[in-house]
Amino acid sequence: MTCKANSSVKPMLIFSNRYYIRQINLHGHDAELLARNLTNSVALDFDWLENCLYWSDVTALGSSIKRMCLNTPGHQLLHAGSLQSPDGLAVDWIGRNLYWCDKGKDTIEVSTLDGRFRKVLIRKGLQEPRAIVLDPFQGYMYWTDWGDKPYIGKAGMDGSQFTKLINESLGWPNALTIDYVTREIFWADAKEDYIAVADLNGTNRRTVIARGPYDAVHHIFALTVFEDQLYWTDWVTKSIERCHKYHCDNYTTIATTTHRPMDIQVFHPYRQMQLKTSNPCTAAECTTLCLLKPGGNATCACPENYVLEEDKKSCRNNCTSSQFICAATYKCIPSWWYCDTQDDCGDMSDEPPDCPPFHCSPGQFQCSNGNCIQPNQICDRVSQCRDMSDEKDCDKHSCLLTQFKCPRNGTTQAYCISLASHCDGTKDCLGGEDELNCTPKTCLPNQFLCDNSKCIPKVWECDGDDDCGDNSDEPKTCAARVCPSNYFRCNSGRCIPLSWKCDGDYDCNDKEDEPDSCDDTTTCHPSYFKCQNNRCIPTRWHCDYDNDCGDFSDEVNCVLRNCSESEFRCDNGKCISSSWRCNGEYNCDDQSDEVGCNVTCKANEFACTSTNFCILSEWHCDGDTDCADGSDEEGCVATTCQGWQFACHNGAECISSLWQCDGENDCSDNSDENPALCSKTACPPGRFRCGNNLCIPESKICDGQDDCGDNSDEEAILCKHYSNCGSHEFQCASGHCINATFHCDHFADCEDNSDE
């Protein structure tokens, strides 16, 4: 039986691809670039009614959620400061709301489609929420969570009725989608490598495709369904795949990409059908948020720091004493944002005409004497202001979410300490309140508990290094240690997975895991290529111009394959899609795909100088570089930058204030990295000041890389007392942190492959 949509509208696939959002038809043709010059686009969804796209940009410097309506030029910023890692989002086309899950904050949140009235719906029971989908017809939402106990969750779209729908045979439940016709949920597991389907209540579960003869599933990130077909993105093959949703007999690769493809959706009105009955939000008459809920009804809700009035429709504020109440936008903002020159409220009520001069950077606290400090230095028992204005009324002060509040003790007022100091074995509060009612420290099953309560990966035990800091991971018993049967024992007593033996990396101190006999014993799957260092990589990576083996053996003696009729051959021999020829982007490593192009722009378009590409005239001199050669921002008159932006000294460019003094020249005149400017600029919260006054993310401290440029972020004294990784994370040899479940998953998540 075949299911086909009875519609004259042509279905299209839209997918995020790091720097771009693209559109293709269901066969991989008719490619069109919908959005470009993105930072790292991950999650993606659309609103058919208003013809708008919604996506998340996720970076270590700061994440955001944006939207672009295809009938209107430009992007609109919806959320920024409240986000960490929004890897999944979904549009409620009935209630007109936007839902997203943040695996950095471990929350599921909602706002209206225009970004107003943000509310956290679920903040407990989440560890690594990844994908989220909605069923507005029944009022439920579904999400995946690949924490140490992975599951697929279900709850009402109002946050009620939380339940773990499926929690068996899961590794990394990554991708998720709903078939609204057959009332089924499909998901893909990126660790166990399969696609499965079940009813919306989690029953009648069955596998669609798994590891086997097709070798079609490697590392699936996103999944969608339309008619009888499933469509998904694969990180390993960097491709978009398709097969029948129940048996996968017609498995086909419909497109390949230069970068890892991220989220994917079928862009068609049948994916967002309207209700056959009246919209429950119409009758609800909510002042702020109207949330659909199970049973086909709706309920009114309030944004963060607001609660419902007795009429169950309007909201009143519940702000703390350390917050300022905005006049008309239902927001509570930190009191130090008042009169900081930024319209944080959205109605200018925090920036009245009689504000005193503000000399600090936005987000900082301005002392009474004019000095500038960070918010986490307020009420910490030390007057960084030097006039005590940061230590006033601390009994009433609300500490940050990253802090623990020590109560008043005698004549000493309350103060804030780092949350990391809570239950760390040391009494930081005068009365010891930070060490009361603490639960015993436990580590994950794949971790070792040090005598000082620190958690480290088990494979670091008996490796000859003092990883605990108290040498408890290197006891004298290492010499007599016995390893499990599925582990290899190093001479030092270290136990490493058998998969690490003959993998091309020296994991034992004496290199006994890589003997000469490895060359004869290592075998790879038929669909993989064996490197000279005995690593196995996908065959598609062989002769792809990238050193995937690490020893360049996959790029030796390569014979240029014949490019198909739909491809263009670069001067270096590489084949790319012919649709990428003369598209304004350099898809060939040698940029030969943009040479000799003859493009005529329309009257409402601007012609890029050297790439022969056309952009909208409105994008010319708008402060954003849209041409690959930057010619659309050359020779422009002075540009007025927004409050959250830094104005480059050339007067023609605006960049994010977060990029100022970050060690990279984002302004074409390098004015954002001027040493004199950086020496007087305070680093924003979450950043580390280098010895040369650059500001880098704290996550880059002691990561094995000289991010500062003067190596001050890698000094031994600093790194000895600094740990980036959380209790559920694995620390790569380079210092980077990845989720602990990524350890020994046969996929190189660490740049140095130390997780494998």
Side-chain angles (χ1 to χ4, degrees):
M1 180 178 178
T2 301
C3 178
K4 292 292 182 181
N6 183 18
S7 171
S8 60
V9 180
K10 182 180 179 181
M12 302 294 287
L13 289 172
I14 56 173
F15 63 95
S16 51
N17 195 200
R18 284 197 70 183
Y19 308 117
Y20 317 103
I21 294 177
R22 300 180 185 274
Q23 175 179 275
I24 58 176
N25 65 19
L26 299 186
H27 303 286
H29 306 306
D30 300 336
E32 181 182 352
L33 202 61
L34 300 180
R36 62 169 65 88
N37 293 330
L38 309 182
T39 308
N40 184 36
S41 59
V42 179
L44 174 68
D45 205 355
F46 68 93
D47 174 33
W48 184 267
L49 183 65
E50 296 184 349
N51 201 26
C52 297
L53 303 180
Y54 294 78
W55 72 91
S56 66
D57 257 327
V58 181
T59 72
L61 297 179
S63 299
S64 61
I65 293 178
K66 300 177 181 178
R67 76 170 173 181
M68 178 184 71
C69 296
L70 300 180
N71 301 327
T72 306
H75 306 163
Q76 181 183 0
L77 180 67
L78 301 181
H79 299 282
S82 60
L83 305 175
Q84 287 189 21
S85 186
D87 280 8
L89 62 78
V91 168
D92 170 16
W93 64 93
I94 302 296
R96 313 305 297 162
N97 293 318
L98 181 67
Y99 289 73
W100 67 92
C101 49
D102 193 318
K103 71 181 182 66
K105 297 167 57 181
D106 297 335
T107 58
I108 293 178
E109 307 184 27
V110 65
S111 75
T112 54
L113 287 180
D114 58 5
R116 294 181 301 150
F117 312 136
R118 182 186 70 88
K119 178 180 179 64
V120 178
L121 286 178
I122 300 177
R123 51 169 42 99
K124 293 183 179 179
L126 304 175
Q127 193 175 58
E128 297 289 346
R130 222 299 291 152
I132 183 170
V133 293
L134 306 176
D135 179 14
F137 304 108
Q138 301 298 323
Y140 285 102
M141 60 180 174
Y142 302 79
W143 68 91
T144 62
D145 190 306
W146 43 258
D148 56 347
K149 295 181 180 179
Y151 68 92
I152 297 176
K154 177 181 180 180
M157 291 172 63
D158 60 346
S160 65
Q161 301 181 27
F162 178 112
T163 183
K164 294 182 179 180
L165 193 68
I166 299 171
N167 56 9
E168 296 180 352
S169 301
L170 296 176
W172 299 338
N174 232 12
L176 191 66
T177 191
I178 292 179
D179 190 325
Y180 298 108
V181 178
T182 60
R183 309 298 300 160
E184 294 172 311
I185 188 170
F186 291 82
W187 73 92
D189 195 299
K191 183 178 183 181
E192 303 300 329
D193 294 335
Y194 68 81
I195 299 176
V197 59
D199 298 335
L200 292 181
N201 58 5
T203 59
N204 196 25
R205 173 178 174 173
R206 53 208 184 275
T207 300
V208 177
I209 186 173
R211 294 190 188 107
Y214 298 110
D215 196 36
V217 287
H218 299 90
H219 191 102
I220 299 178
F221 184 79
L223 178 73
T224 189
V225 62
F226 189 71
E227 298 176 332
D228 289 330
Q229 303 296 313
L230 289 173
Y231 303 86
W232 68 88
T233 59
D234 194 302
W235 275 12
V236 172
T237 58
K238 296 180 182 178
S239 61
I240 296 175
E241 312 289 334
R242 178 189 69 201
C243 79
H244 193 280
K245 65 183 181 182
Y246 291 138
H247 50 68
C248 248
D249 288 344
N250 63 333
Y251 162 69
T252 307
T253 298
I254 64 174
T256 58
T257 61
T258 305
H259 308 289
R260 284 179 174 178
M262 307 299 276
D263 212 348
I264 187 170
Q265 302 288 348
V266 173
F267 190 58
H268 193 272
Y270 282 9
R271 287 292 294 166
Q272 294 187 348
M273 298 284 285
Q274 295 298 314
L275 295 176
K276 295 182 180 180
T277 58
S278 59
N279 190 327
C281 281
T282 303
E285 298 180 347
C286 301
T287 304
T288 55
L289 282 170
C290 177
L291 304 179
L292 302 179
K293 66 178 185 179
N297 299 316
T299 184
C300 295
C302 298
E304 288 296 285
N305 300 306
Y306 278 74
V307 294
L308 276 175
E309 293 276 18
E310 293 182 359
D311 62 4
K312 301 299 181 182
K313 296 181 180 180
S314 54
C315 302
R316 69 174 184 274
N317 83 79
N318 191 31
C319 303
T320 70
S321 58
S322 298
Q323 292 177 317
F324 172 80
I325 305 171
C326 301
T329 54
Y330 294 91
K331 285 185 179 180
C332 302
I333 64 172
S335 57
W336 52 89
W337 289 8
Y338 182 74
C339 289
D340 67 348
T341 73
Q342 308 295 304
D343 182 17
D344 300 296
C345 283
D347 59 6
M348 292 299 294
S349 59
D350 58 320
E351 301 298 326
D354 58 349
C355 278
F358 187 75
H359 306 291
C360 300
S361 298
Q364 291 185 313
F365 174 82
Q366 180 167 286
C367 310
S368 298
N369 59 9
N371 288 338
C372 305
I373 66 170
Q374 303 299 348
N376 61 355
Q377 296 174 317
I378 302 174
C379 290
D380 64 350
R381 296 186 71 196
V382 179
S383 179
Q384 283 88 359
C385 285
R386 300 181 181 178
D387 64 356
M388 296 302 294
S389 58
D390 55 328
E391 300 298 320
K392 287 183 178 180
D393 299 324
C394 290
D395 289 341
K396 299 179 181 179
H397 175 73
S398 296
C399 298
L400 302 179
L401 295 177
T402 57
Q403 294 177 320
F404 176 85
K405 186 172 184 178
C406 296
R408 169 179 280 274
N409 187 290
T411 59
T412 303
Q413 64 177 347
Y415 57 96
C416 305
I417 63 173
S418 171
L419 201 58
S421 299
H422 182 214
C423 294
D424 66 347
T426 302
K427 294 182 179 180
D428 299 282
C429 297
L430 294 180
E433 291 84 359
D434 57 316
E435 299 301 322
L436 297 177
N437 303 318
C438 295
T439 57
K441 182 65 177 290
T442 58
C443 298
L444 295 176
N446 62 348
Q447 292 180 323
F448 173 82
L449 178 61
C450 305
D451 290 348
N452 58 9
S453 298
K454 182 179 179 181
C455 296
I456 64 169
K458 270 189 176 180
V459 291
W460 291 4
E461 186 181 359
C462 297
D463 65 351
D465 296 324
D466 180 14
D467 302 293
C468 286
D470 60 3
N471 216 41
S472 57
D473 58 317
E474 303 298 325
K476 295 180 180 180
T477 54
C478 284
R481 188 183 183 198
V482 178
C483 297
S485 58
N486 58 337
Y487 277 73
F488 175 83
R489 187 184 186 279
C490 300
N491 294 337
S492 66
R494 183 185 189 187
C495 300
I496 62 173
L498 284 177
S499 59
W500 291 18
K501 184 182 179 182
C502 298
D503 67 349
D505 291 323
Y506 295 118
D507 301 293
C508 296
N509 293 338
D510 297 334
K511 304 181 180 180
E512 61 269 26
D513 57 317
E514 301 295 326
D516 294 337
S517 59
C518 285
D519 294 339
D520 302 322
T521 59
T522 301
T523 59
C524 297
H525 187 276
S527 64
Y528 278 66
F529 172 83
K530 181 181 177 181
C531 307
Q532 289 183 6
N533 59 10
N534 298 311
R535 287 184 182 175
C536 299
I537 64 170
T539 301
R540 183 174 176 267
W541 294 5
H542 182 211
C543 295
D544 67 348
Y545 302 90
D546 289 325
N547 178 23
D548 302 293
C549 285
D551 61 1
F552 289 96
S553 58
D554 56 318
E555 301 301 319
V556 175
N557 300 324
C558 292
V559 178
L560 297 178
R561 68 175 177 85
N562 293 325
C563 297
S564 66
E565 295 180 352
S566 62
E567 291 182 317
F568 169 81
R569 184 182 293 282
C570 307
D571 287 350
N572 63 3
K574 186 176 182 179
C575 300
I576 65 170
S577 173
S578 57
S579 63
W580 296 353
R581 164 80 170 141
C582 297
N583 68 345
E585 305 167 32
Y586 293 127
N587 302 106
C588 294
D589 294 335
D590 56 10
Q591 303 183 358
S592 56
D593 55 317
E594 299 300 321
V595 175
C597 299
N598 185 14
V599 179
T600 302
C601 297
K602 299 177 182 178
N604 64 338
E605 293 180 325
F606 171 83
C608 301
T609 302
S610 60
T611 57
N612 295 294
F613 188 64
C614 304
I615 64 171
L616 291 174
S617 297
E618 292 91 339
W619 296 359
H620 180 212
C621 294
D622 65 349
D624 292 323
T625 302
D626 301 290
C627 293
D629 59 3
S631 57
D632 58 313
E633 299 301 322
E634 294 178 352
C636 299
V637 296
T639 301
T640 301
C641 300
Q642 300 183 36
W644 54 274
Q645 293 178 315
F646 171 80
C648 301
H649 293 179
N650 56 20
E653 296 173 288
C654 301
I655 64 170
S656 171
S657 296
L658 292 174
W659 299 354
Q660 182 183 350
C661 300
D662 65 351
E664 297 182 7
N665 296 320
D666 302 289
C667 294
S668 60
D669 60 1
N670 302 343
S671 57
D672 58 312
E673 301 301 321
N674 182 287
L677 172 69
C678 294
S679 65
K680 300 177 182 178
T681 303
C683 293
R687 297 230 175 180
F688 168 78
R689 178 177 288 281
C690 304
N692 56 11
N693 293 313
L694 294 181
C695 301
I696 66 169
E698 289 183 349
S699 59
K700 292 189 176 183
I701 301 175
C702 302
D703 65 353
Q705 305 291 326
D706 181 12
D707 302 290
C708 285
D710 61 0
N711 211 43
S712 56
D713 57 316
E714 300 298 322
E715 292 181 354
I717 296 178
L718 174 68
C719 296
K720 183 178 180 180
H721 302 286
Y722 196 92
S723 176
N724 270 337
C725 301
S727 60
H728 64 286
E729 292 179 312
F730 169 82
Q731 186 169 18
C732 307
S734 64
H736 289 100
C737 302
I738 62 172
N739 188 278
T741 58
F742 287 4
H743 184 213
C744 300
D745 65 346
H746 306 291
F747 193 83
D749 302 284
C750 292
E751 293 179 356
D752 54 15
N753 204 37
S754 57
D755 58 317
E756 297 302 318

